[in-house]
Amino acid sequence: MMTVHGMAISGNCYKLRLLFEQLGLPHRWVEVDSVHGETRTPEFLAKNPNGRVPVLELEDGRTLSESNAILCYLADDTPFLPADRWQRAKVMQWLFFEQYSHEPYVAVARFIRLFLSADHPRRTELPRLLERGHQALAVMEQHLADHAFLAGPAWSIADIALYAYTHSAADGGFDLSDYPAINAWMERARVQPGFVAQGR
Amino acid sequence: MMTVHGMAISGNCYKLRLLFEQLGLPHRWVEVDSVHGETRTPEFLAKNPNGRVPVLELEDGRTLSESNAILCYLADDTPFLPADRWQRAKVMQWLFFEQYSHEPYVAVARFIRLFLSADHPRRTELPRLLERGHQALAVMEQHLADHAFLAGPAWSIADIALYAYTHSAADGGFDLSDYPAINAWMERARVQPGFVAQGR
């Protein structure tokens, strides 16, 4: 059985939980508290020298890091990662968009507001994070205004990756009420077979 | 023939040039000056609503953005993206590492030093960018100390993606003299068939 080393409150880790549930794949979950240094122990760094969750560990001990790389690995040869070359390329486009243009703003704003004290110096980053996060949300909104899903005609790991931090964007101070297409897409997400809400 | 809308000095665009040359694939290059607003025109935003180079345009007008997604698309069914599921997952791991843990520091430091004035306020970001960039370089160094290439036994798009900004890291103020394994790997990069140096 595969093991996920993850932190339930992390959107990057929730992505994996969602895909495992949607694939109906049994897995073991080992909770790792990255906020309190558990990703910096020698044992954890042996699994991921970059010191981040999630990490997927195969039964034979091989490990894979980077949430979206793990999604690609698990979704290979399933409908969550289309076989068509162009559609697969579009899934990849949204996965890289998520890690470069969305997560560093939407997820980091959430981290600062959920985990750092009210007078922490990193709070000064919030206005810029909100500005850049809204730019990413606007790109999603524009696309979803005339597409049901992000990449191709069906739900895919592109949707899973972007749902993970978009659905909890309010934690970071993002008001999503001006994004009707994103809200409609999130409703479609919640009725996908095997959907599970994020734990806390 | 495919068209790349890119900026020669950008490492993200150089990745595509390198892969096109190594694949021996003819292509057209349209130079776009992203530093001076050419990625914010309505024409460009129609190709990539996220307003970034590079963009790949197929002969029929379909467009694909995100440099590493374009690498995956072009490398599909070639030795640059292994067919083996685990090796391919490891390529993906390094591609996401590059966009999340390397480029935002190594490339952004280079951008600030090459393009912004000596008294620009963003210069205050440089110490943090150097610190985080060195963390990413240390992860590469550790891996390359006992592997010839980043993902599996052969040169792949993972190496192309990370070569793009590592070879020019000095532009951002990174001293690479303490990274012998990275330097040896860059020497191996330069003798790959079809290798081309980055234009300026």
Side-chain angles (χ1 to χ4, degrees):
Chain A
M1 191 183 296
M2 287 185 276
T3 301
V4 175
H5 301 269
M7 186 175 176
I9 202 174
S10 149
N12 284 326
C13 299
Y14 172 48
K15 294 172 188 175
L16 304 199
R17 176 150 179 262
L18 196 40
L19 182 58
F20 266 111
E21 294 294 332
Q22 297 202 284
L23 288 168
L25 266 182
H27 65 285
R28 200 166 68 101
W29 184 282
V30 175
E31 187 71 10
V32 179
D33 187 348
S34 76
V35 176
H36 296 98
E38 291 183 14
T39 52
R40 296 285 153 190
T41 64
E43 293 73 21
F44 190 86
L45 290 170
K47 298 187 196 302
N48 179 9
N50 201 28
R52 296 177 187 279
V53 285
V55 170
L56 180 73
E57 184 170 355
L58 305 193
E59 207 148 13
D60 64 11
R62 283 180 292 171
T63 54
L64 184 65
S65 55
E66 299 295 331
S67 58
N68 288 357
I70 299 169
L71 290 182
C72 290
Y73 176 73
L74 295 172
D76 214 11
D77 277 327
T78 79
F80 296 88
L81 181 56
D84 175 80
R85 187 182 175 196
W86 183 255
Q87 278 184 29
R88 202 163 61 245
K90 284 290 173 181
V91 169
M92 301 311 304
Q93 175 187 300
W94 284 105
L95 292 180
F96 285 106
F97 167 85
E98 191 266 338
Q99 284 288 283
Y100 194 84
S101 295
H102 184 284
E103 203 269 12
Y105 309 109
V106 179
V108 173
R110 178 174 180 261
F111 170 80
I112 289 173
R113 288 182 30 131
L114 287 186
F115 293 109
L116 303 184
S117 60
D119 60 349
H120 195 284
R122 287 197 64 185
R123 297 238 163 201
T124 60
E125 296 174 26
L126 286 171
R128 179 169 171 273
L129 296 175
L130 284 169
E131 182 196 337
R132 302 295 291 270
H134 276 296
Q135 287 171 9
L137 292 165
V139 169
M140 291 174 67
E141 179 72 15
Q142 181 186 337
H143 184 81
L144 291 168
D146 52 11
H147 298 83
F149 299 106
L150 288 168
W155 176 257
S156 74
I157 54 173
D159 300 288
I160 289 177
L162 278 150
Y163 181 80
Y165 282 110
T166 303
H167 89 280
S168 60
D171 289 345
F174 291 90
D175 176 0
L176 293 190
S177 56
D178 284 341
Y179 296 95
I182 289 179
N183 284 300
W185 165 78
M186 290 198 293
E187 288 304 317
R188 287 191 290 278
R190 293 178 189 119
V191 295
Q192 297 300 311
F195 177 85
V196 282
Q198 181 169 13
R200 282 295 177 111
Chain B
M1 191 183 296
M2 288 186 275
T3 301
V4 176
H5 301 269
M7 188 176 175
I9 202 174
S10 149
N12 283 327
C13 298
Y14 170 50
K15 294 172 188 174
L16 304 198
R17 176 149 180 263
L18 196 42
L19 181 58
F20 265 111
E21 293 295 332
Q22 297 202 286
L23 288 168
L25 267 182
H27 65 286
R28 201 165 67 101
W29 185 281
V30 175
E31 187 71 11
V32 179
D33 186 349
S34 76
V35 176
H36 295 98
E38 291 183 16
T39 51
R40 295 285 153 189
T41 64
E43 294 74 21
F44 189 87
L45 290 170
K47 297 186 197 303
N48 179 9
N50 201 27
R52 295 178 188 278
V53 284
V55 170
L56 181 72
E57 184 170 354
L58 305 193
E59 207 148 13
D60 64 10
R62 284 180 292 170
T63 55
L64 184 65
S65 56
E66 299 294 332
S67 58
N68 289 357
I70 299 169
L71 289 182
C72 291
Y73 176 73
L74 295 172
D76 215 9
D77 277 328
T78 79
F80 296 89
L81 182 55
D84 175 81
R85 187 182 177 196
W86 183 255
Q87 278 185 28
R88 201 164 59 246
K90 283 291 172 179
V91 169
M92 301 310 304
Q93 175 186 300
W94 284 105
L95 293 179
F96 284 105
F97 167 85
E98 191 267 338
Q99 283 287 284
Y100 194 83
S101 296
H102 184 285
E103 203 268 12
Y105 309 109
V106 179
V108 173
R110 178 174 180 260
F111 170 79
I112 289 173
R113 289 184 29 132
L114 288 185
F115 293 110
L116 302 185
S117 60
D119 60 349
H120 195 284
R122 287 198 64 187
R123 296 239 163 200
T124 59
E125 297 174 25
L126 286 171
R128 180 169 170 273
L129 296 175
L130 284 170
E131 182 195 336
R132 303 295 291 269
H134 276 296
Q135 287 171 8
L137 293 165
V139 170
M140 292 174 66
E141 179 72 16
Q142 181 186 336
H143 185 82
L144 291 168
D146 51 10
H147 298 83
F149 299 106
L150 289 168
W155 176 256
S156 75
I157 54 173
D159 300 288
I160 290 177
L162 278 150
Y163 181 80
Y165 282 111
T166 303
H167 89 281
S168 60
D171 290 345
F174 292 91
D175 175 0
L176 293 190
S177 57
D178 284 342
Y179 297 96
I182 289 179
N183 284 301
W185 166 76
M186 289 199 294
E187 287 304 316
R188 287 191 289 279
R190 293 179 188 120
V191 297
Q192 296 301 311
F195 177 84
V196 283
Q198 182 170 12
R200 281 292 178 111

